[in-house]
């Protein structure tokens, strides 16, 4: 399993909007998409962590380069205070 964790600075009033975007159906139709989660930190109301999982690296990269992904990212970015910090990699169970 492959995916990303995004560390995002988000104003509290935009958190629900970002959650709604993350739950949109279009990403769920991406080949290899397994799921995503959003965490709003109790001790940092302006920080959000978004986790996205794909079957493998190839399906993740294909989604990242797909025509609609840039538009989707711009919608997310408009709700953030700054560019997110991305951590891409292979998921392993411990």
């Amino acid at each position: 399993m492959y995916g990303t964790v995004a560390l995002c600075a988000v104003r509290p009033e935009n958190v629900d909007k970002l959650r709604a975007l993350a739950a949109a159906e279009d990403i769920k139709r991406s080949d290899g998409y397994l799921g995503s989660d959003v965490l709003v930190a109790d001790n940092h109301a302006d920080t959000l962590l978004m986790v996205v999982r794909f079957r493998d690296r190839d399906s993740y990269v294909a989604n990242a380069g797909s025509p609609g992904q840039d538009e989707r990212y711009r919608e997310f970015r408009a709700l953030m205070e700054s560019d997110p910090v991305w951590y891409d990699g292979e998921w392993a169970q411990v």
Side-chain angles (χ1 to χ4, degrees):
M1 186 171 30
Y2 195 88
T4 193
V5 175
L7 177 62
C8 310
V10 180
R11 288 186 184 157
E13 63 266 22
N14 287 336
V15 168
D16 287 339
K17 294 174 191 172
L18 203 139
R19 282 182 178 169
L21 278 177
E25 290 296 317
D26 59 333
I27 185 68
K28 296 174 184 177
R29 291 189 298 267
S30 297
D31 185 45
Y33 174 80
L34 298 175
S36 57
D37 296 294
V38 173
L39 178 133
V40 180
D42 286 341
N43 57 340
H44 296 281
D46 61 346
T47 300
L48 183 139
L49 294 164
M50 184 168 29
V51 175
V52 183
R53 294 172 304 280
F54 279 81
R55 178 182 56 240
D56 52 36
R57 188 177 193 282
D58 289 342
S59 57
Y60 173 81
V61 171
N63 176 71
S66 66
Q69 187 59 25
D70 182 61
E71 180 180 332
R72 183 176 170 75
Y73 170 74
R74 290 177 190 277
E75 290 181 72
F76 275 102
R77 180 59 184 86
L79 299 172
M80 299 177 193
E81 294 299 298
S82 58
D83 289 340
V85 178
W86 299 98
Y87 300 91
D88 296 351
E90 193 75 34
W91 288 99
Q93 290 187 344
V94 293

